[in-house]
Amino acid sequence: QVQLVESGGGLVQPGGSLRLSCAASGSRFTMYHMGWHRQAPGKQRDLVAVISSGGDTNYADSVKGRFTISRDNAKNTVTLQMNSLKPEDTAVYYCYALSVSGVSWGQGTQVTVSS
């Protein structure tokens, strides 16, 4: 079981940037796939970006070239750098950890992109 705490959400204008962070508890962080999903009002929760235990990354097509996911295994953290934000990026962003035992989710952090 992994406890996850997100931070860094907020209100930003279109074209702006935000950096989300996720702090994880657990001694096997280096073994976890980590990532971010988001859920906009009235829509399903969808994948934004993932990073494997080995550092391989994948992104949703809608965020490629704008978002960057990274991890610091020594600090048990994963980050999502979001640049060139669009109103369509508005959602609650959830950090998750994936292991063979299952998935753990954070509480979510609100990102609002609006003029």
Side-chain angles (χ1 to χ4, degrees), residues 4 21 40 70 77-78 95 97 108:
L4 303 169
S21 296
S70 61
T77 58
V78 61
C95 177

Side-chain angles (χ1 to χ4, degrees), residues 29-79:
F29 182 81
T30 57
M31 297 291 101
Y32 304 150
H33 283 40
M34 301 291 297
W36 295 88
H37 283 208
R38 67 186 181 186
Q39 187 168 24
K43 297 186 177 180
Q44 67 182 31
R45 187 179 299 186
D46 290 327
L47 181 146
V48 176
V50 294
I51 183 166
S52 74
S53 60
D56 296 325
T57 59
N58 281 295
Y59 299 90
D61 288 341
S62 59
V63 307
K64 286 181 179 178
R66 300 188 297 118
F67 291 11
T68 303
I69 188 170
S70 61
R71 66 191 296 160
D72 187 335
N73 290 338
K75 298 180 179 179
N76 281 23
T77 58
V78 61
T79 64

